Amino acid sequence: MASGTPYKPYRHLKTLTAHTRAVSCVKFSNDGTLLASASLDKTVIVWSSQTLSLVHRLVGHSDGVSDLAWSSDSHYICSASDDRTLRIWDARAAATESAHVKTLRGHSDFVFCVNFSPQSNLIVSGSFDETIRIWEVKTGRCLHAIRAHTMPVTSVHFNRDGSLIVSASHDGTCKIWDSSTATLLKTLIDDKVPAVSFAKFSPNGKFILVATLNDTLKLWNYSTGKFLKIYAGHVNRVYCITSTFSVTNGKYIVSGSEDRCVYLWDLQQKTMVQKLEGHSDTVISVTCHPTENKIASAGLDGDRTVRIWAQDS
Amino acid sequence: MNAPIIDPLQGDFPEVIEEYLEHGVMKCIAFNRRGTLLAAGCSDGNCIIWDFETRGIAKELRDKDCIAAITSVCWSKYGHRILVSAADKSLTLWDVVSGERLTRTTLQQTPLQARLNPGSSTPSLCLACPLSSAPMIVDLNTGSTTMLPVSIPDTGNGTVPQSRNKFSDGTPPFTPTAACFNKYGDLIYVGNSKGEILIIDHRTVQVQAMVPVSGSAVVKNIVFSRNGQYLLTNSNDRTIRIYENLLPFKDGLVALDDLDKTLNELDGVEKLKAVGSKCLTLFREFQDSITKMHWKAPCFSGDGEWVIGGSASKGEHKIYIWDRAGHLVKILEGPKEALIDLAWHPVHPIVVSVSLTGFVYIWAKDYTENWSAFAPDFKELEENEEYVEREDEFDLVPETEKVKESDVNEDDEVDILTLEKNSAFSDSDMSQEELCFLPAIPSPDVPERQDKCVESSSKLVDSNQSGSPLSEEAEPNGHTTNHASSPPEVVDNSAAEDAGGSRMKRKRKPSEKGLELQAEKVRKPKSSGRLSKVKNKSVVDQDNGNGFHGDDVSD
């Protein structure tokens, strides 16, 4: 970010209340037209990013939904649920009843995290059963089931060309896998404590943003195995809070926090540039719009809302 | 590939059969430019496009007019079109994304091989090599064919009377002649029955140069490496010859013209030979002096470092791998079925071979996991290093003097957006978007059954495998039901998963059983016998990547 331009703060735009239990995840679609939110009330809601009105309420899971992911063409949503299944929904379906396309069965415990591959012909999921599964989107077949960790898998993500998968777990490890052979390539962290709650590749696939349950976010260069940046100041001891990169107007790291705020740090300087207040419970998930300067955040049970923040133009 | 931590031995060669693909009887295969899609022509006239990542079928190109066996498949440069030649003398051009048939041309003879012009992203010209006449250029839009000269007349300056109509011009019959485009599609290299390589400008249909192949045996195949630097010929004298291409890549034609002018004092055949000697030089010769084997479908690896050739003997499925210097590095042996086609993946050390029975075998490296990469700070050494300690290594130093070693400057700028260029693809003229993947549309579930269905092909991991498997592979993609239209399978691995959960988490070495099985033939699955068999899914473990699939009948 050029040091000349002053930082434009985000301000609260709207609060979306439609979930009846804690919201567990929010994600903008890759084309930016839709926003999806998953909740412990067993539903996934699809909102329009422009009008912020409800488009679909996808019902079908028999237990709370912990995570969701968009396919690259923004046509499909995959949701991970405590009912041990993943569901693929058609986000463009005309009627909500016809939105459900597929159910992926195979995990033996809560499915906690999910992501599409960049080509969107594969889905990776991590579960409380300590395994990572790679599924073929077209047929729903499970291609690989990897006994990846010794405790619940908290996060899984493909890199930019789909060749690698990073996984994080409560067992304190962060591992990198070859997605075509499902073999372990590298272990990034190997301390038992603290638990790794989230891991994600940078947009160019060279770095990994890792959150650990000791109030720390680190940016790692995984080929050298060294971390380059540390971001601190927020509270993260209990929940698997997602964080993300904001690249539409300068480079920032955005994360939720257990002190009910959304934190923004300058990527290079590591300084906190803004704290967004408004939620009444832990902010568990944040997502950045792919082209506009918008952030969406989700709050847990004491809050149950999705809040939209935007920069003044 | 944007993954510097993947084993740097990318230019290595495959060792074992990893998987096989089954759908009807496949006859010929071709990878697209990036190796993400594999097109396979079948004996029933259909062309199947496999998604190589998921090993599932991405698309089927069906033509109701064509029911004859496909003889060859060829992708256009950026993967938007596929040219299919069939035994009913037809050439069909398909649009990959829409699955529509664009043009269909019928020739005089069955083309054994058809190649699209690699110089254009929407080619309308193709090279067809029929069974018993000279290779020809076919304009797919108009259907007109132009025969290419296959020999140099003793008199004259190298041009052969050409015919622009569809009928043969009465030239004497030839034995099959091989031909291929060069990398940019402006020149055609023809290997004829006299053992000569002719370099022809396809626009003027003039022979520009001639290179005699030592041994003068009939040339059966002629293939360029992917980077256009090397040329390979397979001759009837059971020898594969590698030539180095001396012409510049982009303006080969211009260079040829220049050579033509400089050697103006020579005439006729002499001139062509002189020009030819400046275009290609013999680099290496490969042959099996013991078995004197005939070779089939030889080709280069993606980076041109390795050369593979299949044994043309019926009844065996052997693939020989040489490095470019000429050393035989490996012989891959598959099940006892004749080999009919062979292809090396453009990027990965993966080889795909088609057997007479119609199966496509995927050969890949035997993965062993690098344990030292598992510990974050551990560095692996090639061999033992004598450690010489510092002068003050064992001195007692007060804590305050010790500075925490951080060789990373935390204030350095980190770039999270710039992409690294993929060195395997150096083509700078990416003017058009390349088609790398076909969109994967999830096929809808059938209305759910109450209980989880246990599929007809069971997914239990074979407990006979030595040691405890730590992860399971879902069934290999060999399903005949893997059809776009058939109902998808609701895969239920939970039963297997529970069984696996009770086992120990002991890590083990690559299974010996898996290696044993690889030495045996890979048995074909009997289509009706799936219920009775427990499939031996070679486990893709956390500790080892012995990704070999085979069928094992357990009692």
Side-chain angles (χ1 to χ4, degrees), chain A residues 1 73 76 84 87-88 100-108 117 119-122 129-131 133 135-150 159-164 175-190 202-207 219 222-230 245-247 251-252 267-270, chain B residues 1-7 18-19 51 53-59 348 367 369-370 373-377 379 404 407-420 437-445 448-449 452 469-479 482-484 488-494 497-498 500-502 505 540-542 544-546:
Chain A
M1 151 177 114
D73 56 7
Y76 297 98
R84 297 173 293 160
R87 279 185 181 233
I88 303 182
H100 170 237
V101 181
K102 236 171 161 51
T103 302
L104 306 176
R105 292 179 213 278
H107 278 294
S108 51
S117 70
Q119 300 85 20
S120 295
N121 52 358
L122 295 173
D129 65 7
E130 301 163 12
T131 67
R133 278 180 184 255
W135 312 81
E136 181 189 1
V137 171
K138 196 162 178 158
T139 56
R141 193 164 57 98
C142 178
L143 298 175
H144 299 284
I146 315 170
R147 270 264 142 80
H149 291 278
T150 52
N159 71 337
R160 198 180 179 278
D161 63 8
S163 55
L164 300 176
K175 295 185 180 174
I176 301 176
W177 310 83
D178 177 320
S179 60
S180 50
T181 58
T183 48
L184 176 61
L185 289 173
K186 196 157 187 167
T187 303
L188 206 49
I189 309 173
D190 203 9
S202 65
N204 63 356
K206 286 212 270 203
F207 307 98
L219 189 66
Y222 64 85
S223 30
T224 62
K226 299 247 181 288
F227 66 86
L228 304 171
K229 307 273 181 193
I230 297 187
F245 297 89
S246 165
V247 296
K251 302 203 184 48
Y252 302 97
L267 180 90
Q268 314 292 358
Q269 310 296 327
K270 304 165 288 181
Chain B
M1 188 179 310
N2 194 15
I5 57 174
I6 289 188
D7 195 331
E18 181 182 70
E19 204 171 344
D51 178 333
E53 256 197 11
T54 62
R55 309 282 159 90
I57 294 182
K59 211 168 190 90
H348 298 134
Y367 291 99
E369 290 178 76
N370 184 3
F374 296 168
D377 292 331
K379 270 202 266 291
K404 186 176 138 196
D407 48 350
V408 170
N409 183 3
E410 284 202 9
D411 293 328
D412 274 347
E413 285 259 324
V414 171
D415 188 353
I416 57 164
L417 288 180
T418 345
L419 296 168
E420 261 179 28
F437 288 93
L438 288 173
I441 299 163
S443 44
D445 278 347
E448 282 170 20
R449 287 158 268 206
K452 295 188 188 158
L470 293 187
S471 74
E472 303 128 26
E473 185 87 29
E475 55 197 343
N477 180 29
H479 256 324
N482 194 1
H483 238 275
E489 307 132 17
V490 175
V491 173
D492 175 24
N493 275 332
S494 57
E497 194 75 51
D498 293 337
S502 57
K505 288 185 183 165
V540 177
D541 266 299
Q542 194 173 345
N544 74 68
N546 183 10

Side-chain angles (χ1 to χ4, degrees), chain A residues 196-217:
Chain A
V196 184
S197 56
F198 179 73
K200 174 180 179 153
F201 278 101
S202 65
N204 63 356
K206 286 212 270 203
F207 307 98
I208 300 181
L209 183 65
V210 179
T212 44
L213 291 184
N214 60 350
D215 313 321
T216 313
L217 267 167

Side-chain angles (χ1 to χ4, degrees), chain A residues 22-100:
Chain A
V23 187
S24 54
C25 179
V26 273
K27 284 219 180 124
F28 278 107
S29 63
N30 288 341
D31 61 2
T33 56
L34 298 170
L35 173 71
S37 61
S39 164
L40 296 190
D41 65 4
K42 312 177 198 170
T43 67
V44 172
I45 295 183
V46 183
W47 314 79
S48 150
S49 314
Q50 272 304 100
T51 64
L52 298 174
S53 56
L54 194 150
V55 176
H56 287 306
R57 188 189 291 263
L58 306 172
V59 179
H61 278 295
S62 45
D63 212 338
V65 185
S66 304
D67 197 11
L68 67 92
W70 284 94
S71 67
S72 307
D73 56 7
S74 307
H75 289 170
Y76 297 98
I77 298 173
C78 186
S79 55
S81 166
D82 286 352
D83 66 4
R84 297 173 293 160
T85 68
L86 295 120
R87 279 185 181 233
I88 303 182
W89 314 84
D90 184 346
R92 304 159 301 169
T96 314
E97 291 73 33
S98 54
H100 170 237

Side-chain angles (χ1 to χ4, degrees), chain A residues 283-299:
Chain A
V283 179
I284 188 84
S285 175
V286 288
T287 179
C288 292
H289 194 280
T291 49
E292 298 167 31
N293 301 322
K294 250 192 227 167
I295 297 176
S297 56

